[in-house]
Amino acid sequence: DAGVTQSPTHLIKTRGQQVTLRCSPKSGHDTVSWYQQALGQGPQFIFQYYEEEERQRGNFPDRFSGHQFPNYSSELNVNALLLGDSALYLCASSGETQYFGPGTRLLVL
Amino acid sequence: TQLLEQSPQFLSIQEGENLTVYCNSSSVFSSLQWYRQEPGEGPVLLVTVVTGGEVKKLKRLTFQFGDARKDSSLHITAAQPGDTGLYLCAGDEYSSASKIIFGSGTRLSIRP
């Protein structure tokens, strides 16, 4: 079992650009959550997907959007990137227990 | 929005010492998890506590959930350099399913 995988591992973008991050959940998990972790902070909940629908959302602007595919994999899209979007983006999949991927480190210049 | 406050933010102690990390909130959680995160990696779940007053042990780590399910503590006995990392508590909001709120973490450094 590969666990939760995320791609890419690192990404550099410039302000105003758009980015798409990808996540494959742990085998058997149908729920995917996305978190943003700024340097020195705990993860902040962005949103959660279940059965291809957004089920919960945290306090993030509409520039943050997502998608879940029939195979339960998920994408996080961020439009009009700001310097403050620089962070580690974590994906977590859950059945009874939540497992995190290694994250994608995004740097916005 | 429910907040989880962790203390201390930073802790550096000598190998062999004991330590306690705290996680506090004014709100009630249906469950609370403790994670450890190492640089460049995602958080790894250590334990989930569900029942008020519950105590769980994981080798040298002891986790306790407060009676009112608003707070939790993590006690490490005879700390070792391998315990170094960022310790995060996270709570399941009582009012909605599966929305987990994280504390800001305690960064622990164990000196050999």
Side-chain angles (χ1 to χ4, degrees):
Chain A
D1 183 4
V4 181
T5 60
Q6 293 187 242
S7 63
T9 55
H10 297 82
L11 202 51
I12 300 175
K13 292 284 189 179
T14 56
R15 282 178 297 174
Q17 285 190 311
Q18 178 264 343
V19 68
T20 297
L21 310 181
R22 295 176 176 83
C23 171
S24 291
K26 185 176 171 64
S27 178
H29 286 182
D30 57 8
T31 302
V32 173
S33 302
W34 286 93
Y35 293 82
Q36 181 195 66
Q37 186 175 22
L39 202 60
Q41 300 292 319
Q44 287 204 337
F45 177 79
I46 303 175
F47 42 54
Q48 182 184 84
Y49 278 85
Y50 173 70
E51 291 189 346
E52 303 179 53
E53 300 256 341
E54 184 182 290
R55 185 162 71 168
Q56 293 274 352
R57 190 178 181 92
N59 296 325
F60 280 81
D62 292 345
R63 299 186 297 109
F64 289 77
S65 63
H67 189 77
Q68 186 178 35
F69 299 93
N71 66 353
Y72 306 127
S73 68
S74 177
E75 288 182 350
L76 163 65
N77 300 292
V78 187
N79 294 322
L81 284 167
L82 304 174
L83 296 179
D85 295 332
S86 295
L88 179 68
Y89 287 85
L90 294 162
C91 167
S93 73
S94 49
E96 285 191 8
T97 302
Q98 183 168 246
Y99 291 89
F100 282 85
T104 293
R105 187 161 294 282
L106 172 65
L107 177 61
V108 182
L109 301 176
Chain B
T1 303
Q2 297 177 333
L3 293 176
L4 276 171
E5 295 183 357
Q6 288 189 241
S7 61
Q9 284 186 293
F10 301 95
L11 187 58
S12 178
I13 62 172
Q14 205 71 34
E15 180 178 0
E17 294 183 354
N18 302 332
L19 68 109
T20 302
V21 173
Y22 299 93
C23 175
N24 295 294
S25 175
S26 58
S27 302
V28 177
F29 292 94
S30 58
S31 69
L32 197 137
Q33 298 90 45
W34 284 92
Y35 293 83
R36 187 173 84 188
Q37 185 177 22
E38 302 195 27
E41 298 182 9
V44 175
L45 180 68
L46 297 174
V47 77
T48 300
V49 285
V50 178
T51 306
E54 182 176 5
V55 176
K56 281 192 174 179
K57 292 193 175 184
L58 186 65
K59 297 183 181 178
R60 294 176 293 99
L61 279 59
T62 301
F63 305 84
Q64 184 162 7
F65 202 12
D67 290 342
R69 299 208 301 271
K70 294 182 179 181
D71 54 82
S72 180
S73 63
L74 158 59
H75 182 79
I76 301 180
T77 304
Q80 298 177 1
D83 296 328
T84 293
L86 178 67
Y87 287 82
L88 295 158
C89 67
D92 263 329
E93 283 193 318
Y94 212 98
S95 59
S96 61
S98 302
K99 184 177 177 181
I100 295 182
I101 307 298
F102 276 84
S104 56
T106 293
R107 189 161 297 280
L108 177 63
S109 174
I110 310 299
R111 304 187 302 273

